[in-house]
Every structure is written in C-alpha cells, then in structure tokens.
Amino acid sequence: MPLRFLHTSDIHLLDLQGTSPWRYLNKRLTGGANLAMGRARSHDVRLFDEMVRLVPQLEVDHFVVTGDLTNLSLESEFAFVRAKLETVPVPITVIPGNHDVYTRGSERHHRFEAYLGHLMDGERVDGETYPFMLRCDDVALLGVSTAVATWPLYATGKVGDAQLGRLAVLLERAEAEGLCRVVLIHHPPVEGVSKARHDLKDLDAFGEVIAAHGAELILHGHEHVRFEGALPGPNGHVPVHGIGSGTSLSNRPGRQASFSVYHASRDGIERDLYVWNGNGFERYDS
C-alpha cells in the first residue's frame, strides 16, 4: 500500500523554563545570544500547531521531522517537543539535527535519543542506533544522523564511514524487497546548498553510497530554505528535496514556513507543497 506522509523540519520549539545560567557556559553562550537578539522571535510554535491541525484534513498517515526540533538541546526543550509531538494524531518519525546535539554534554548523554528515541522505530544493523529503517507498507523510511557537537559558530554535520556502511546494507535490503526508499537526513547532501561552516563534511562519501545503491527520494532540512535537486544514482538521478523551517516567520521567497505532503508507493512519488501565507498554510503551485 502507498504511504501518505508529511515532511517538516527545523521547527525549533523553544522552552527555557528552569534553565540555570551555568548551562550557558559553553556553546550555548552564542546560541543564547542569538535567541536574545531575535532568533526566538523568528519562529512561532503556533505554526506547528496549525500544521498538526491539518493532518486529518490532508489525510496524512505519517509525520516526519528531519531534525532541529530544539534550539539548545536542553532538557526543558526536549520535554516541550515531546509534549507537542504527542498532539500529532498519526505515527511520527524523527531524526536529530545539529541543534539537537548542540553541546558535548547533550551528545555524551544521548539526550535526543533519551527523549525521542521512541520515534525512531525500525530495523538496524549490528544494533547501532543509526541509520534505522522503518517499513511502512510499500515504503522504507531510512533515518540517518548527521548531528555532531561542534565549536561555536559552526553547524557542520557528519555521517561517518561506519554509518554509511550500514546505510548501504539497509538500502540494498530495501531494494531487494522492492520498497520505495526515502532517506531522511538533516544536512543538505548536495554541494552548494549549505552556507559556510554549515556543510556536511562527508557529503562526497554520502553521494558515493547513493550512486552505488540508489534511493527513490532524499529529504533534508537545516538551511531553512526550500530546495529541489538531485544526486546521481545507479539507475538515474535521485531527487533531493529540502524544506524550509516549519515554524519560520520569514516572508522571504523560499524561506517562508512550509511543509510537504508525499504520496509514495512502489510506482512512484507525488508531492504537494504547502507554504505559510501569513494567515495559514496554502497549497503552493509554482
């Protein structure tokens, strides 16, 4: 059976209640300053609520978030995110973004997985957390992590050779079963999309895995901008779609809050794009 799913990213749900000042004595010092200087006012949780409200109307079966659910990877934020995701009336799949592994401590304590690991269900290779593959009828959702703690003013990502090897195994396995393979990744895997110090460090190595094993679609977030591109695959080009932040208040073309609804099956993939117009999400016709 086909899968109809909603893709959003970079929702940056903020809740800093109970956070002690000493928690900012690390990379959060710059992140907190960015929030104070306006970033906190550039996103609105009410847009996420509106997106969730539309789920039954859009007849969506599954809800996908490709990272940056938080801002500073604090416990209060993860608790708020988990509570908000509980309002979604369909199954959810998430992967982490760089803001979800914002500090060495959040990485060391596996905070994202502790709060949201139940939303990363699926098959794994050698018991490792990433990647994972969730079978949804005709479709396989493959969740990849590029989230690594970085220095202040850096937002780079990395998959790593070991994870790439496991991804190749899962892609081959899904292809043998005739599944429509949708790869979920936070950082854009196409050259030139990310800003300086925001890039995927092993972009070429990821591209080599796709070139050798293929996929039917790759979805990402990270840059808060809509993007359509492709990577070479063994049987032609593999579409790569980036989506803007689901809660952005920007009115700049391509950077407005947006989400996509995909209808995916063994026979192909169709997409409807929805963009925030200031009052609500409306279907976008380019």
Side-chain angles (χ1 to χ4, degrees), residues 36-279:
M37 289 188 294
R39 185 184 178 99
R41 296 184 295 277
S42 64
H43 297 270
D44 193 332
V45 66
R46 290 174 294 184
L47 275 65
F48 177 80
D49 294 337
E50 176 62 12
M51 193 188 313
V52 172
R53 189 189 68 81
L54 291 171
V55 165
Q57 178 181 324
L58 296 172
E59 299 181 321
V60 167
D61 305 315
H62 207 91
F63 195 94
V64 171
V65 190
T66 51
D68 279 5
L69 290 78
T70 67
N71 295 271
L72 303 175
S73 66
L74 288 160
E75 292 89 344
S76 57
E77 292 183 290
F78 281 116
F80 183 52
V81 166
R82 187 167 61 187
K84 279 295 182 182
L85 291 179
E86 287 174 355
T87 68
V88 179
V90 296
I92 304 168
T93 294
V94 302
I95 59 169
N98 54 290
H99 278 268
D100 304 316
V101 187
Y102 201 67
T103 63
R104 304 293 179 188
S106 61
E107 183 176 53
R108 184 170 59 253
H109 296 297
H110 304 285
R111 196 166 294 147
F112 183 88
E113 293 79 13
Y115 279 87
L116 301 175
H118 63 293
L119 302 179
M120 297 190 294
D121 193 19
E123 179 180 335
R124 289 168 166 84
V125 177
D126 298 330
E128 298 291 340
T129 304
Y130 303 104
F132 59 88
M133 180 172 73
L134 178 64
R135 292 177 175 82
C136 302
D137 296 316
D138 286 358
V139 178
L141 299 176
L142 296 106
V144 174
S145 176
T146 59
V148 293
T150 61
W151 293 103
L153 305 180
Y154 281 76
T156 53
K158 185 176 182 179
V159 184
D161 291 342
Q163 188 184 171
L164 286 170
R166 296 190 295 269
L167 176 61
V169 171
L170 291 177
L171 286 169
E172 288 273 323
R173 195 172 297 171
E175 182 183 34
E177 296 177 22
L179 299 176
C180 174
R181 300 164 297 171
V182 179
V183 178
L184 312 176
I185 188 169
H186 181 65
H187 287 76
V190 176
E191 189 75 43
V193 180
S194 289
K195 297 180 291 186
R197 302 191 302 275
H198 278 227
D199 55 315
L200 180 62
K201 288 301 184 181
D202 48 2
L203 179 150
D204 290 340
F206 177 85
E208 289 171 4
V209 171
I210 298 301
H213 303 282
E216 280 59 63
L217 177 64
I218 301 170
L219 300 178
H220 72 82
H222 188 51
E223 289 295 341
H224 298 194
V225 64
R226 299 195 299 275
F227 170 79
E228 293 186 21
L231 286 176
N235 301 307
H237 283 86
V238 176
V240 178
H241 293 173
I243 196 69
S245 163
T247 60
S248 172
L249 294 176
S250 174
N251 57 13
R252 293 169 58 191
R255 291 190 173 272
Q256 308 98 319
S258 54
F259 65 85
S260 294
V261 174
Y262 291 91
H263 187 86
S265 71
R266 299 174 193 267
D267 299 323
I269 301 174
E270 298 177 357
R271 177 196 192 192
D272 291 326
L273 175 65
Y274 292 83
V275 177
W276 183 255
N277 64 13
N279 297 303

